[in-house]
Amino acid sequence: SWSREPPGVPRARGSAGCREVVPTCERYAVRRLPFARLGDSDVAFFERLMPGRVVTGEEEVKAFNVDWLKSVRGCSQLVLKPQTTAEVSQVLRYCHEKNLAVNPQGGNTGLVGGSVPVFDEIILSTALMNQIISFDKVSGILVCQAGCVLERLNEYLEEQGFVMPLDLGAKGSCHIGGNVATNAGGLRLLRYGSLRGTVLGLEVVLADGSALDCLTSLRKDNTGYDLKQLFIGSEGTLGVITAVSILCPQKPKAVNVAFLGCQSFAKVLETFTTCRAMLGEILSAYEFMDEKCMELVERHLKLSRPVTGSPFYVLIETSGSNSTHDEEKLSNFLEQAMASGLVTDGTVATDDKKIKASHLRERITEALTHEGYVYKYDISLPVGKLYDLVTDMRARLGHSAKSVVGYGHLGDGNLHLNITAESYSHSLLDAIEPFVYEWTAGCSGSISAEHGLGFKKKQFIQYSKPRQAVVLMQQFKAMLDPKGILNPYKTLPSAP
Protein backbone atom coordinates (compact mmCIF):
# COMPACT_ATOMS: atom_id res chain seq x y z
CA SER A 1 0.00 0.00 0.00
CA TRP A 2 2.40 2.58 -1.30
CA SER A 3 1.45 6.02 -0.10
CA ARG A 4 2.62 9.62 -0.02
CA GLU A 5 1.06 9.82 3.43
CA PRO A 6 3.07 9.04 6.57
CA PRO A 7 2.82 5.55 8.11
CA GLY A 8 -0.25 5.07 10.24
CA VAL A 9 -2.67 5.58 7.37
CA PRO A 10 -4.92 2.50 7.18
CA ARG A 11 -4.02 0.06 4.43
CA ALA A 12 -6.51 -0.99 1.82
CA ARG A 13 -5.77 -4.67 1.34
CA GLY A 14 -6.11 -6.78 -1.75
CA SER A 15 -5.67 -10.53 -2.13
CA ALA A 16 -1.95 -10.29 -1.31
CA GLY A 17 -2.10 -7.43 1.16
CA CYS A 18 -1.39 -4.68 -1.37
CA ARG A 19 -3.45 -2.23 -3.33
CA GLU A 20 -3.64 -2.74 -7.06
CA VAL A 21 -3.89 1.02 -7.50
CA VAL A 22 -2.67 3.54 -4.97
CA PRO A 23 -5.30 6.30 -4.67
CA THR A 24 -3.06 9.17 -3.62
CA CYS A 25 -2.99 12.31 -5.75
CA GLU A 26 -3.34 11.49 -9.41
CA ARG A 27 0.28 12.28 -10.32
CA TYR A 28 1.54 9.51 -8.01
CA ALA A 29 -1.02 6.82 -8.82
CA VAL A 30 0.61 3.57 -9.95
CA ARG A 31 -0.69 0.13 -10.91
CA ARG A 32 1.09 -3.07 -9.93
CA LEU A 33 2.80 -4.66 -12.93
CA PRO A 34 2.08 -8.34 -13.71
CA PHE A 35 4.90 -9.81 -11.63
CA ALA A 36 4.44 -13.18 -9.94
CA ARG A 37 3.18 -13.35 -6.36
CA LEU A 38 5.52 -14.67 -3.70
CA GLY A 39 4.66 -18.24 -2.72
CA ASP A 40 5.68 -20.68 0.01
CA SER A 41 7.92 -22.56 -2.41
CA ASP A 42 9.80 -19.34 -3.18
CA VAL A 43 10.39 -18.62 0.49
CA ALA A 44 11.54 -22.23 0.98
CA PHE A 45 14.08 -21.84 -1.84
CA PHE A 46 15.56 -18.71 -0.30
CA GLU A 47 15.71 -20.30 3.16
CA ARG A 48 17.69 -23.20 1.72
CA LEU A 49 19.98 -20.76 -0.08
CA MET A 50 20.73 -18.54 2.94
CA PRO A 51 19.48 -20.15 6.16
CA GLY A 52 18.97 -17.68 8.99
CA ARG A 53 19.18 -14.69 6.65
CA VAL A 54 15.61 -14.65 5.35
CA VAL A 55 13.29 -12.22 7.13
CA THR A 56 9.51 -12.76 7.12
CA GLY A 57 6.64 -11.63 9.28
CA GLU A 58 4.86 -8.28 9.12
CA GLU A 59 6.56 -6.73 12.16
CA GLU A 60 10.02 -8.00 11.23
CA VAL A 61 9.76 -6.65 7.68
CA LYS A 62 8.05 -3.39 8.65
CA ALA A 63 11.20 -1.27 9.05
CA PHE A 64 12.43 -2.27 5.59
CA ASN A 65 9.12 -1.17 4.01
CA VAL A 66 9.26 2.43 5.24
CA ASP A 67 11.70 5.10 4.06
CA TRP A 68 13.83 7.22 6.41
CA LEU A 69 11.50 10.22 6.06
CA LYS A 70 8.48 8.05 6.87
CA SER A 71 6.80 9.51 3.81
CA VAL A 72 6.39 6.41 1.64
CA ARG A 73 5.93 2.72 2.33
CA GLY A 74 5.53 -0.59 0.56
CA CYS A 75 4.29 -3.98 1.72
CA SER A 76 7.02 -6.46 0.95
CA GLN A 77 6.60 -9.79 2.72
CA LEU A 78 10.22 -10.91 2.42
CA VAL A 79 13.70 -9.50 3.08
CA LEU A 80 16.80 -11.37 1.89
CA LYS A 81 20.26 -10.71 3.36
CA PRO A 82 22.93 -12.24 1.12
CA GLN A 83 26.58 -12.13 2.17
CA THR A 84 28.28 -12.84 -1.15
CA THR A 85 28.03 -11.93 -4.80
CA ALA A 86 27.32 -15.59 -5.58
CA GLU A 87 24.24 -15.49 -3.35
CA VAL A 88 22.99 -12.28 -4.99
CA SER A 89 23.51 -13.95 -8.35
CA GLN A 90 21.46 -17.00 -7.32
CA VAL A 91 18.69 -14.80 -5.92
CA LEU A 92 18.36 -12.74 -9.09
CA ARG A 93 18.62 -15.77 -11.36
CA TYR A 94 15.72 -17.36 -9.48
CA CYS A 95 13.66 -14.14 -9.44
CA HIS A 96 14.27 -13.65 -13.16
CA GLU A 97 13.07 -17.17 -13.93
CA LYS A 98 10.03 -16.83 -11.68
CA ASN A 99 9.22 -13.22 -12.69
CA LEU A 100 9.50 -11.94 -9.11
CA ALA A 101 10.21 -8.24 -8.65
CA VAL A 102 13.18 -7.18 -6.48
CA ASN A 103 13.88 -3.99 -4.53
CA PRO A 104 17.63 -3.57 -3.81
CA GLN A 105 18.15 -1.77 -0.50
CA GLY A 106 21.25 -0.40 1.20
CA GLY A 107 21.05 1.77 4.31
CA ASN A 108 17.56 2.99 3.32
CA THR A 109 18.52 6.66 3.76
CA GLY A 110 17.20 7.82 0.37
CA LEU A 111 14.93 10.83 0.17
CA VAL A 112 13.02 10.21 -3.08
CA GLY A 113 11.28 6.90 -2.39
CA GLY A 114 13.76 4.80 -4.32
CA SER A 115 14.91 2.47 -1.55
CA VAL A 116 11.62 0.89 -0.42
CA PRO A 117 9.09 -1.24 -2.32
CA VAL A 118 6.09 0.21 -4.05
CA PHE A 119 4.05 -2.98 -3.75
CA ASP A 120 5.24 -6.44 -2.68
CA GLU A 121 8.69 -6.55 -4.26
CA ILE A 122 11.24 -8.78 -2.51
CA ILE A 123 13.71 -6.62 -0.59
CA LEU A 124 17.34 -7.52 -1.30
CA SER A 125 19.33 -5.97 1.54
CA THR A 126 23.10 -5.50 1.33
CA ALA A 127 23.39 -5.07 5.13
CA LEU A 128 25.55 -8.20 5.57
CA MET A 129 27.79 -7.51 2.56
CA ASN A 130 30.06 -5.36 4.70
CA GLN A 131 33.58 -6.69 4.18
CA ILE A 132 36.61 -4.64 3.18
CA ILE A 133 38.34 -6.65 0.45
CA SER A 134 41.60 -4.73 0.10
CA PHE A 135 43.29 -1.36 0.54
CA ASP A 136 46.48 -0.20 -1.17
CA LYS A 137 48.32 2.43 0.89
CA VAL A 138 50.46 3.49 -2.07
CA SER A 139 47.64 4.18 -4.55
CA GLY A 140 44.91 4.93 -1.98
CA ILE A 141 42.52 2.50 -3.69
CA LEU A 142 39.92 0.77 -1.52
CA VAL A 143 37.97 -2.29 -2.64
CA CYS A 144 34.99 -3.29 -0.51
CA GLN A 145 31.57 -4.91 -0.58
CA ALA A 146 28.55 -2.73 -1.30
CA GLY A 147 27.05 -2.98 2.19
CA CYS A 148 29.92 -1.26 3.99
CA VAL A 149 28.64 1.73 5.98
CA LEU A 150 30.26 4.99 4.85
CA GLU A 151 31.29 6.11 8.33
CA ARG A 152 32.89 2.74 9.13
CA LEU A 153 34.90 2.94 5.90
CA ASN A 154 36.08 6.42 6.78
CA GLU A 155 37.14 5.29 10.26
CA TYR A 156 39.09 2.37 8.75
CA LEU A 157 40.80 4.66 6.25
CA GLU A 158 41.69 7.29 8.83
CA GLU A 159 43.72 4.64 10.65
CA GLN A 160 45.66 4.21 7.41
CA GLY A 161 46.09 7.97 6.90
CA PHE A 162 43.35 8.33 4.26
CA VAL A 163 39.68 9.40 4.05
CA MET A 164 36.68 8.59 1.89
CA PRO A 165 36.17 11.10 -0.95
CA LEU A 166 32.53 11.69 0.08
CA ASP A 167 30.87 12.75 3.32
CA LEU A 168 27.13 12.79 3.97
CA GLY A 169 24.85 13.61 6.85
CA ALA A 170 23.59 10.01 6.67
CA LYS A 171 27.13 8.55 6.84
CA GLY A 172 26.36 6.55 9.98
CA SER A 173 23.71 4.50 8.13
CA CYS A 174 24.20 4.75 4.36
CA HIS A 175 25.99 2.01 2.40
CA ILE A 176 28.70 2.70 -0.15
CA GLY A 177 26.81 0.62 -2.74
CA GLY A 178 23.74 2.81 -2.25
CA ASN A 179 25.92 5.92 -2.45
CA VAL A 180 27.24 4.76 -5.81
CA ALA A 181 23.82 3.60 -7.05
CA THR A 182 22.40 7.07 -6.36
CA ASN A 183 25.60 8.96 -7.28
CA ALA A 184 25.52 10.68 -3.89
CA GLY A 185 27.24 14.07 -3.67
CA GLY A 186 27.69 15.44 -0.18
CA LEU A 187 29.99 17.87 1.54
CA ARG A 188 33.33 16.94 -0.06
CA LEU A 189 32.34 17.14 -3.71
CA LEU A 190 33.82 20.63 -4.08
CA ARG A 191 37.25 19.24 -3.18
CA TYR A 192 37.29 15.67 -4.48
CA GLY A 193 34.68 15.65 -7.24
CA SER A 194 31.78 13.26 -7.81
CA LEU A 195 31.65 9.48 -7.56
CA ARG A 196 31.71 9.34 -11.35
CA GLY A 197 35.38 10.30 -11.06
CA THR A 198 36.46 8.59 -7.84
CA VAL A 199 34.81 5.19 -8.45
CA LEU A 200 37.32 3.15 -10.47
CA GLY A 201 35.41 -0.09 -10.82
CA LEU A 202 32.28 -2.00 -9.88
CA GLU A 203 31.08 -5.54 -9.52
CA VAL A 204 27.41 -5.76 -10.51
CA VAL A 205 24.88 -8.58 -10.71
CA LEU A 206 22.48 -8.15 -13.61
CA ALA A 207 18.77 -8.94 -13.60
CA ASP A 208 19.26 -12.46 -15.00
CA GLY A 209 21.77 -13.31 -12.28
CA SER A 210 24.92 -12.97 -14.36
CA ALA A 211 27.80 -11.21 -12.58
CA LEU A 212 29.63 -8.39 -14.34
CA ASP A 213 33.17 -8.05 -12.97
CA CYS A 214 34.44 -4.56 -13.78
CA LEU A 215 36.14 -4.24 -10.38
CA THR A 216 39.32 -2.71 -11.76
CA SER A 217 41.73 -0.80 -9.53
CA LEU A 218 43.36 1.11 -12.36
CA ARG A 219 43.35 4.88 -12.58
CA LYS A 220 43.57 4.66 -16.36
CA ASP A 221 41.71 2.10 -18.44
CA ASN A 222 40.74 3.31 -21.90
CA THR A 223 39.58 0.00 -23.39
CA GLY A 224 36.11 0.36 -24.81
CA TYR A 225 32.99 1.72 -23.14
CA ASP A 226 33.17 2.69 -19.48
CA LEU A 227 30.41 0.34 -18.36
CA LYS A 228 30.55 1.26 -14.67
CA GLN A 229 29.10 4.68 -15.51
CA LEU A 230 25.83 2.98 -16.51
CA PHE A 231 25.35 1.74 -12.96
CA ILE A 232 26.53 4.85 -11.09
CA GLY A 233 23.31 6.77 -10.48
CA SER A 234 21.05 4.05 -11.91
CA GLU A 235 19.33 3.55 -8.52
CA GLY A 236 19.30 -0.23 -8.70
CA THR A 237 17.24 -0.36 -11.89
CA LEU A 238 19.94 -1.83 -14.15
CA GLY A 239 21.81 -4.14 -11.76
CA VAL A 240 22.70 -4.71 -8.12
CA ILE A 241 26.09 -3.31 -7.14
CA THR A 242 27.89 -5.86 -4.96
CA ALA A 243 31.43 -4.42 -4.69
CA VAL A 244 33.14 -1.08 -5.29
CA SER A 245 36.69 0.03 -6.09
CA ILE A 246 37.18 3.67 -5.09
CA LEU A 247 40.07 6.14 -5.06
CA CYS A 248 40.58 7.67 -1.61
CA PRO A 249 42.57 10.84 -0.85
CA GLN A 250 45.10 11.11 1.94
CA LYS A 251 43.77 12.37 5.24
CA PRO A 252 44.50 16.10 5.53
CA LYS A 253 46.86 16.94 8.37
CA ALA A 254 45.27 20.32 8.96
CA VAL A 255 41.50 20.93 8.96
CA ASN A 256 39.96 24.30 9.80
CA VAL A 257 36.31 25.28 9.99
CA ALA A 258 34.98 28.83 9.83
CA PHE A 259 31.36 29.81 10.50
CA LEU A 260 30.36 33.20 9.09
CA GLY A 261 27.33 35.47 8.98
CA CYS A 262 26.30 37.42 5.85
CA GLN A 263 23.61 40.07 5.49
CA SER A 264 22.37 38.99 2.05
CA PHE A 265 22.66 36.15 -0.42
CA ALA A 266 24.56 38.50 -2.72
CA LYS A 267 27.17 38.75 0.04
CA VAL A 268 27.24 34.94 0.30
CA LEU A 269 28.11 34.80 -3.41
CA GLU A 270 30.76 37.51 -3.16
CA THR A 271 32.27 35.78 -0.14
CA PHE A 272 32.51 32.56 -2.14
CA THR A 273 34.32 34.32 -4.98
CA THR A 274 36.81 35.85 -2.54
CA CYS A 275 37.13 32.58 -0.63
CA ARG A 276 37.93 30.58 -3.75
CA ALA A 277 40.51 33.12 -4.88
CA MET A 278 42.29 33.41 -1.52
CA LEU A 279 42.07 29.83 -0.20
CA GLY A 280 42.52 28.06 -3.52
CA GLU A 281 43.82 24.53 -3.15
CA ILE A 282 42.93 24.13 0.55
CA LEU A 283 39.22 24.94 0.17
CA SER A 284 37.28 21.70 0.74
CA ALA A 285 33.70 22.82 1.48
CA TYR A 286 31.57 25.95 1.15
CA GLU A 287 28.08 25.46 2.54
CA PHE A 288 25.34 28.03 3.03
CA MET A 289 22.16 28.02 5.09
CA ASP A 290 19.50 30.61 5.83
CA GLU A 291 18.44 31.94 9.23
CA LYS A 292 15.35 29.71 9.38
CA CYS A 293 17.51 26.58 9.07
CA MET A 294 19.60 27.60 12.04
CA GLU A 295 16.52 28.47 14.05
CA LEU A 296 15.11 24.96 13.49
CA VAL A 297 18.41 23.28 14.46
CA GLU A 298 18.54 25.34 17.65
CA ARG A 299 14.92 24.77 18.58
CA HIS A 300 14.53 21.08 17.80
CA LEU A 301 18.04 19.69 18.35
CA LYS A 302 19.23 22.11 21.04
CA LEU A 303 22.44 22.86 19.12
CA SER A 304 23.90 26.33 19.60
CA ARG A 305 25.42 28.29 16.74
CA PRO A 306 28.68 30.19 17.14
CA VAL A 307 27.38 33.24 15.22
CA THR A 308 23.90 34.81 15.41
CA GLY A 309 21.97 37.75 14.01
CA SER A 310 22.44 37.23 10.27
CA PRO A 311 19.93 36.26 7.56
CA PHE A 312 22.50 33.86 6.00
CA TYR A 313 25.32 31.72 7.31
CA VAL A 314 28.31 30.14 5.62
CA LEU A 315 30.34 27.13 6.71
CA ILE A 316 33.83 26.99 5.21
CA GLU A 317 36.17 24.04 5.60
CA THR A 318 39.81 23.96 4.59
CA SER A 319 41.94 20.83 4.33
CA GLY A 320 45.68 20.84 3.84
CA SER A 321 49.03 19.46 4.89
CA ASN A 322 50.52 22.43 6.77
CA SER A 323 48.55 23.90 9.66
CA THR A 324 50.61 27.09 9.90
CA HIS A 325 50.23 27.77 6.17
CA ASP A 326 46.47 26.99 6.18
CA GLU A 327 45.69 29.04 9.29
CA GLU A 328 47.54 32.03 7.84
CA LYS A 329 45.62 31.82 4.57
CA LEU A 330 42.29 31.46 6.38
CA SER A 331 43.14 34.37 8.70
CA ASN A 332 44.00 36.60 5.74
CA PHE A 333 40.75 35.66 4.03
CA LEU A 334 38.67 36.43 7.12
CA GLU A 335 40.37 39.80 7.58
CA GLN A 336 39.64 40.66 3.95
CA ALA A 337 36.02 39.48 4.19
CA MET A 338 35.37 41.46 7.37
CA ALA A 339 37.14 44.61 6.16
CA SER A 340 35.22 44.65 2.87
CA GLY A 341 31.86 44.14 4.58
CA LEU A 342 31.20 40.76 2.98
CA VAL A 343 30.93 39.15 6.40
CA THR A 344 29.40 40.83 9.45
CA ASP A 345 30.47 38.25 12.02
CA GLY A 346 32.45 35.03 12.06
CA THR A 347 34.48 32.58 14.05
CA VAL A 348 37.10 29.93 13.39
CA ALA A 349 36.22 26.76 15.25
CA THR A 350 38.76 25.42 17.69
CA ASP A 351 39.66 21.72 17.53
CA ASP A 352 37.05 20.57 20.03
CA LYS A 353 34.28 22.52 18.29
CA LYS A 354 34.98 21.64 14.64
CA ILE A 355 32.63 18.68 14.69
CA LYS A 356 29.89 20.70 16.41
CA ALA A 357 30.15 23.46 13.80
CA SER A 358 29.89 20.92 10.98
CA HIS A 359 26.90 19.28 12.67
CA LEU A 360 24.95 22.52 12.38
CA ARG A 361 24.86 21.99 8.63
CA GLU A 362 24.66 18.20 8.59
CA ARG A 363 21.69 17.98 10.93
CA ILE A 364 19.35 20.44 9.24
CA THR A 365 17.52 17.52 7.58
CA GLU A 366 16.93 15.94 10.98
CA ALA A 367 15.68 19.22 12.47
CA LEU A 368 13.20 19.64 9.61
CA THR A 369 11.54 16.30 10.39
CA HIS A 370 10.43 17.73 13.75
CA GLU A 371 8.39 20.38 11.92
CA GLY A 372 5.79 17.94 10.61
CA TYR A 373 5.54 16.82 6.99
CA VAL A 374 8.50 17.87 4.79
CA TYR A 375 8.40 18.41 1.02
CA LYS A 376 12.04 18.04 -0.07
CA TYR A 377 13.61 19.27 -3.30
CA ASP A 378 17.23 18.73 -4.36
CA ILE A 379 17.98 21.15 -7.18
CA SER A 380 21.00 22.19 -9.28
CA LEU A 381 20.94 25.81 -10.45
CA PRO A 382 23.31 28.46 -11.74
CA VAL A 383 24.96 29.72 -8.54
CA GLY A 384 23.73 33.29 -8.99
CA LYS A 385 20.07 32.14 -8.99
CA LEU A 386 20.39 29.57 -6.20
CA TYR A 387 18.34 31.36 -3.54
CA ASP A 388 15.83 33.03 -5.89
CA LEU A 389 13.81 29.82 -5.93
CA VAL A 390 13.43 29.92 -2.13
CA THR A 391 12.28 33.55 -2.25
CA ASP A 392 9.80 32.89 -5.05
CA MET A 393 8.43 29.79 -3.32
CA ARG A 394 7.85 31.70 -0.07
CA ALA A 395 5.92 34.35 -1.96
CA ARG A 396 3.91 31.72 -3.83
CA LEU A 397 2.91 29.64 -0.80
CA GLY A 398 2.42 32.37 1.78
CA HIS A 399 0.82 31.08 4.97
CA SER A 400 -0.17 27.73 3.45
CA ALA A 401 3.30 26.43 4.35
CA LYS A 402 4.71 26.33 7.86
CA SER A 403 8.23 27.20 6.67
CA VAL A 404 10.22 27.43 3.44
CA VAL A 405 13.97 27.08 3.92
CA GLY A 406 17.03 26.81 1.73
CA TYR A 407 20.54 25.49 2.29
CA GLY A 408 23.09 23.53 0.34
CA HIS A 409 26.42 23.11 -1.38
CA LEU A 410 26.95 26.53 -2.91
CA GLY A 411 30.33 25.51 -4.33
CA ASP A 412 28.64 23.15 -6.80
CA GLY A 413 25.30 24.95 -7.23
CA ASN A 414 23.21 22.48 -5.21
CA LEU A 415 20.18 23.89 -3.40
CA HIS A 416 18.16 21.90 -0.85
CA LEU A 417 14.72 23.48 -0.82
CA ASN A 418 12.52 22.27 2.04
CA ILE A 419 8.88 23.14 2.69
CA THR A 420 7.18 22.07 5.90
CA ALA A 421 3.55 21.75 6.95
CA GLU A 422 1.73 20.33 9.95
CA SER A 423 0.63 17.37 7.83
CA TYR A 424 0.55 16.18 4.24
CA SER A 425 -1.71 18.23 1.98
CA HIS A 426 -2.71 17.53 -1.63
CA SER A 427 -3.46 21.21 -2.22
CA LEU A 428 -0.04 22.30 -0.93
CA LEU A 429 1.68 19.75 -3.15
CA ASP A 430 -0.33 21.03 -6.12
CA ALA A 431 0.97 24.53 -5.37
CA ILE A 432 4.56 23.29 -5.23
CA GLU A 433 4.60 20.86 -8.15
CA PRO A 434 5.16 21.20 -11.03
CA PHE A 435 5.97 24.89 -10.33
CA VAL A 436 9.29 24.02 -8.68
CA TYR A 437 10.33 21.94 -11.70
CA GLU A 438 9.15 24.48 -14.25
CA TRP A 439 11.09 27.19 -12.42
CA THR A 440 14.21 24.99 -12.37
CA ALA A 441 13.90 24.10 -16.05
CA GLY A 442 13.49 27.79 -16.90
CA CYS A 443 16.96 28.37 -15.44
CA SER A 444 18.44 25.33 -17.26
CA GLY A 445 18.86 23.60 -13.90
CA SER A 446 18.45 19.98 -12.82
CA ILE A 447 15.49 18.72 -10.79
CA SER A 448 17.82 16.31 -8.98
CA ALA A 449 21.33 17.36 -8.04
CA GLU A 450 22.35 14.40 -5.87
CA HIS A 451 19.38 12.45 -4.47
CA GLY A 452 18.26 10.78 -7.70
CA LEU A 453 14.72 10.43 -9.04
CA GLY A 454 13.45 7.37 -7.19
CA PHE A 455 9.67 7.12 -7.24
CA LYS A 456 8.78 10.68 -6.33
CA LYS A 457 10.51 12.42 -9.23
CA LYS A 458 10.52 9.90 -12.07
CA GLN A 459 7.53 11.46 -13.83
CA PHE A 460 9.28 14.85 -13.91
CA ILE A 461 12.46 13.71 -15.67
CA GLN A 462 11.47 15.58 -18.84
CA TYR A 463 12.15 18.89 -17.08
CA SER A 464 15.86 18.02 -17.07
CA LYS A 465 16.33 15.56 -19.94
CA PRO A 466 15.20 15.71 -23.58
CA ARG A 467 12.80 13.06 -24.86
CA GLN A 468 15.52 11.35 -26.91
CA ALA A 469 17.65 10.89 -23.80
CA VAL A 470 14.74 9.39 -21.83
CA VAL A 471 13.97 6.97 -24.68
CA LEU A 472 17.62 5.88 -24.78
CA MET A 473 17.55 5.28 -21.02
CA GLN A 474 14.43 3.16 -21.42
CA GLN A 475 16.21 1.15 -24.11
CA PHE A 476 19.15 0.49 -21.79
CA LYS A 477 16.69 -0.65 -19.12
CA ALA A 478 14.91 -2.98 -21.55
CA MET A 479 18.22 -4.48 -22.70
CA LEU A 480 19.69 -5.12 -19.23
CA ASP A 481 16.43 -5.96 -17.44
CA PRO A 482 13.97 -7.20 -20.11
CA LYS A 483 11.41 -8.37 -17.54
CA GLY A 484 11.67 -5.14 -15.56
CA ILE A 485 12.13 -6.92 -12.22
CA LEU A 486 14.82 -4.60 -10.79
CA ASN A 487 13.44 -1.76 -8.64
CA PRO A 488 10.30 -1.33 -10.77
CA TYR A 489 8.27 1.90 -10.75
CA LYS A 490 11.45 3.94 -10.08
CA THR A 491 13.74 6.42 -11.90
CA LEU A 492 12.23 6.22 -15.40
CA PRO A 493 8.68 6.76 -16.66
CA SER A 494 7.14 3.65 -18.17
CA ALA A 495 8.31 2.95 -21.71
CA PRO A 496 5.69 3.56 -24.43
Side-chain angles (χ1 to χ4, degrees):
S1 59
W2 178 264
S3 176
R4 287 280 298 180
E5 300 132 342
V9 177
R11 285 182 180 173
R13 292 189 173 274
S15 59
C18 290
R19 300 176 188 175
E20 291 301 318
V21 178
V22 182
T24 57
C25 51
E26 189 172 307
R27 67 168 67 80
Y28 290 106
V30 59
R31 183 177 296 277
R32 186 184 186 278
L33 295 174
F35 298 115
R37 304 281 186 180
L38 185 70
D40 291 341
S41 61
D42 302 318
V43 176
F45 170 82
F46 295 126
E47 287 178 337
R48 289 194 300 271
L49 176 64
M50 52 185 82
R53 290 178 282 121
V54 175
V55 182
T56 57
E58 187 173 346
E59 283 304 310
E60 290 79 3
V61 175
K62 185 177 180 180
F64 298 89
N65 270 314
V66 182
D67 73 325
W68 183 81
L69 288 174
K70 295 181 171 57
S71 64
V72 288
R73 61 176 178 173
C75 53
S76 176
Q77 301 163 355
L78 183 69
V79 178
L80 304 178
K81 293 186 174 182
Q83 291 180 317
T84 66
T85 299
E87 288 180 342
V88 174
S89 182
Q90 290 179 75
V91 167
L92 290 187
R93 185 178 298 114
Y94 181 88
C95 290
H96 187 261
E97 291 173 356
K98 300 292 185 178
N99 196 34
L100 291 164
V102 178
N103 183 99
Q105 187 178 100
N108 196 16
T109 59
L111 302 179
V112 289
S115 58
V116 294
V118 175
F119 291 101
D120 56 345
E121 300 90 88
I122 295 170
I123 297 173
L124 180 63
S125 170
T126 58
L128 299 183
M129 301 186 70
N130 55 7
Q131 300 300 306
I132 293 173
I133 298 170
S134 66
F135 178 66
D136 188 319
K137 291 185 179 181
V138 177
S139 65
I141 296 171
L142 172 75
V143 182
C144 63
Q145 286 186 300
C148 290
V149 173
L150 180 59
E151 190 170 45
R152 300 289 85 78
L153 288 177
N154 203 65
E155 290 171 353
Y156 167 83
L157 288 170
E158 285 191 345
E159 294 175 358
Q160 317 293 321
F162 289 76
V163 295
M164 289 295 286
L166 74 159
D167 184 23
L168 311 174
K171 58 191 171 188
S173 303
C174 65
H175 297 181
I176 186 62
N179 297 150
V180 174
T182 56
N183 191 26
L187 308 177
R188 292 176 180 166
L189 192 141
L190 178 63
R191 177 66 174 272
Y192 300 121
S194 76
L195 288 172
R196 293 198 178 277
T198 54
V199 170
L200 303 179
L202 295 174
E203 180 183 68
V204 182
V205 178
L206 303 180
D208 64 0
S210 57
L212 177 64
D213 185 357
C214 291
L215 201 60
T216 179
S217 293
L218 300 174
R219 293 286 302 277
K220 295 176 123 179
D221 181 7
N222 202 16
T223 51
Y225 305 130
D226 190 1
L227 295 179
K228 70 176 182 290
Q229 296 295 346
L230 270 179
F231 302 98
I232 299 174
S234 66
E235 303 186 66
T237 62
L238 300 181
V240 177
I241 295 172
T242 54
V244 177
S245 171
I246 188 166
L247 180 65
C248 304
Q250 283 194 300
K251 180 181 178 180
K253 296 178 180 178
V255 176
N256 294 289
V257 174
F259 195 84
L260 314 175
C262 296
Q263 288 302 306
S264 67
F265 190 71
K267 296 293 185 184
V268 171
L269 295 174
E270 289 182 60
T271 302
F272 176 59
T273 301
T274 304
C275 175
R276 192 168 46 183
M278 296 186 69
L279 299 181
E281 77 288 350
I282 65 171
L283 178 63
S284 54
Y286 190 97
E287 304 287 309
F288 91 95
M289 56 224 84
D290 60 22
E291 164 65 20
K292 185 64 176 178
C293 288
M294 290 296 93
E295 178 193 320
L296 295 177
V297 169
E298 267 189 334
R299 174 152 43 97
H300 296 302
L301 306 182
K302 310 305 179 187
L303 293 177
S304 60
R305 43 182 154 163
V307 174
T308 59
S310 297
F312 293 93
Y313 297 94
V314 171
L315 180 72
I316 296 172
E317 182 186 80
T318 65
S319 304
S321 59
N322 186 312
S323 58
T324 303
H325 167 268
D326 295 0
E327 288 169 9
E328 182 180 351
K329 292 192 76 165
L330 184 57
S331 178
N332 290 338
F333 158 72
L334 291 174
E335 287 179 11
Q336 170 70 20
M338 295 288 284
S340 61
L342 295 179
V343 172
T344 53
D345 198 1
T347 182
V348 177
T350 55
D351 287 340
D352 61 331
K353 293 183 179 178
K354 285 176 185 174
I355 295 177
K356 289 183 180 179
S358 297
H359 275 186
L360 289 173
R361 160 64 180 87
E362 291 180 6
R363 297 185 67 186
I364 293 171
T365 295
E366 180 185 349
L368 282 160
T369 62
H370 292 271
E371 282 283 282
Y373 192 87
V374 187
Y375 303 83
K376 304 186 75 68
Y377 298 92
D378 162 47
I379 307 293
S380 271
L381 290 167
V383 177
K385 296 181 178 293
L386 206 61
Y387 201 74
D388 291 349
L389 177 55
V390 182
T391 304
D392 287 357
M393 189 61 77
R394 279 184 184 145
R396 177 179 176 83
L397 299 181
H399 296 297
S400 61
K402 192 173 180 181
S403 60
V404 179
V405 306
Y407 65 97
H409 319 296
L410 189 131
D412 47 63
N414 184 182
L415 169 70
H416 295 306
L417 170 69
N418 288 258
I419 299 156
T420 67
E422 290 293 344
S423 60
Y424 174 78
S425 163
H426 290 333
S427 60
L428 182 55
L429 184 62
D430 287 338
I432 299 169
E433 299 176 7
F435 172 81
V436 63
Y437 301 126
E438 292 170 346
W439 197 102
T440 300
C443 295
S444 301
S446 169
I447 66 168
S448 178
E450 61 181 0
H451 292 164
L453 294 168
F455 180 82
K456 296 180 182 178
K457 290 186 175 183
K458 69 168 189 172
Q459 69 274 26
F460 298 116
I461 191 173
Q462 72 275 6
Y463 286 102
S464 292
K465 291 291 186 289
R467 186 184 65 82
Q468 296 92 330
V470 176
V471 169
L472 190 57
M473 292 180 199
Q474 291 168 332
Q475 290 171 346
F476 280 129
K477 170 71 172 174
M479 178 182 70
L480 293 174
D481 182 15
K483 293 187 176 182
I485 66 169
L486 286 178
N487 220 10
Y489 322 105
K490 317 283 180 59
T491 305
L492 295 176
S494 300

